[in-house]
Amino acid sequence: MVSVSKKLIGKIEFGLLSPEKIRKMSATRIITPDTYNEDGFPIDMGLMDTRLGVIEPGLRCKTCGQGVKDCPGHFGHIELAMPIIHVGFVKVLHTIMRATCRGCGKILLTDKKLEKYRQECAKIIKIGGNASYLAKELAKEAEKTTMCPHCGKEKLPVELDKPTTFREAGHKMTPAEVREWMEKVSEALGDDLKLLDINPEVARPEWMILTVLPVPPVTTRPSIT
């Protein structure tokens, strides 16, 4: 008999893809929505570019050199003309904006109060618990602050107009402004992002505003020639 060693999965961790990661794993940039030319062949840098894989017999992938049966498919990417807020992370972004200063990016609580939250967060993480409720509590308390205790900037109320529009004291913020704010938060908080229920090792707030869009391999999506 052949003995088979079993491996147990301890945990599965989900994260966000950074723009740099998307570009790095991409086989080609996509610049046109067209798929096939007049002769029925995939258009270069189009949505069916053969660098993304092949599904037609007789063609070979320009990335790995394999045919239909052996090519696993490869990602491409689209560079967006302007940033776009990912609708799936709108509530998370709103919580962060309520809890942090737009000027310096720090959490709108004194160091003494922050230490209390750090200790509580560490206990939750240690037992493998969910710290999302803690982030909501922190945001609720920080939202009461009228002036940042770290840089002195006035705290303006931020409202969400669904699905993805944020207004700061009535001013409609652009996705670029939101992303700039999130970049300050990432730089200012570092490991304290865990207080906002974000693992800084696999995710950053500014990645929730898309600037690069991954294009799935040809082999994972249906196509009609």
Side-chain angles (χ1 to χ4, degrees), residues 188-203:
L189 297 189
D191 200 51
D192 273 348
L193 282 171
K194 293 177 181 178
L195 299 177
L196 299 172
D197 198 28
I198 295 175
N199 184 348
E201 295 179 5
V202 296

Side-chain angles (χ1 to χ4, degrees), residues 109-184:
L109 294 175
T110 62
D111 291 334
K112 185 177 180 180
K113 288 183 178 180
L114 272 178
E115 187 57 35
K116 180 189 75 173
Y117 279 103
R118 288 190 188 104
Q119 292 175 5
E120 184 68 22
C121 185
K123 291 178 183 177
I124 295 171
I125 293 174
K126 188 176 181 179
I127 62 174
N130 189 338
S132 58
Y133 82 91
L134 192 67
K136 292 177 182 178
E137 285 185 10
L138 186 150
K140 191 174 181 180
E141 184 173 356
E143 197 173 24
K144 299 175 184 177
T145 305
T146 57
M147 186 174 293
C148 176
H150 307 287
C151 71
K153 183 178 175 63
E154 181 184 5
K155 169 62 177 175
L156 300 176
V158 178
E159 297 178 348
L160 169 63
D161 289 347
K162 294 182 178 179
T164 60
T165 300
F166 292 102
R167 296 182 185 276
E168 185 183 40
H171 164 70
K172 182 178 179 180
M173 299 181 68
T174 65
E177 287 178 313
V178 176
R179 195 173 198 281
E180 183 182 353
W181 186 342
M182 294 302 106
E183 286 175 345
K184 289 180 181 179

Side-chain angles (χ1 to χ4, degrees), residues 19-33:
E20 292 76 18
K21 180 73 173 178
I22 293 174
R23 293 186 185 102
K24 189 175 180 180
M25 73 180 189
S26 171
T28 181
R29 180 180 176 184
I30 305 301
I31 62 172
T32 174

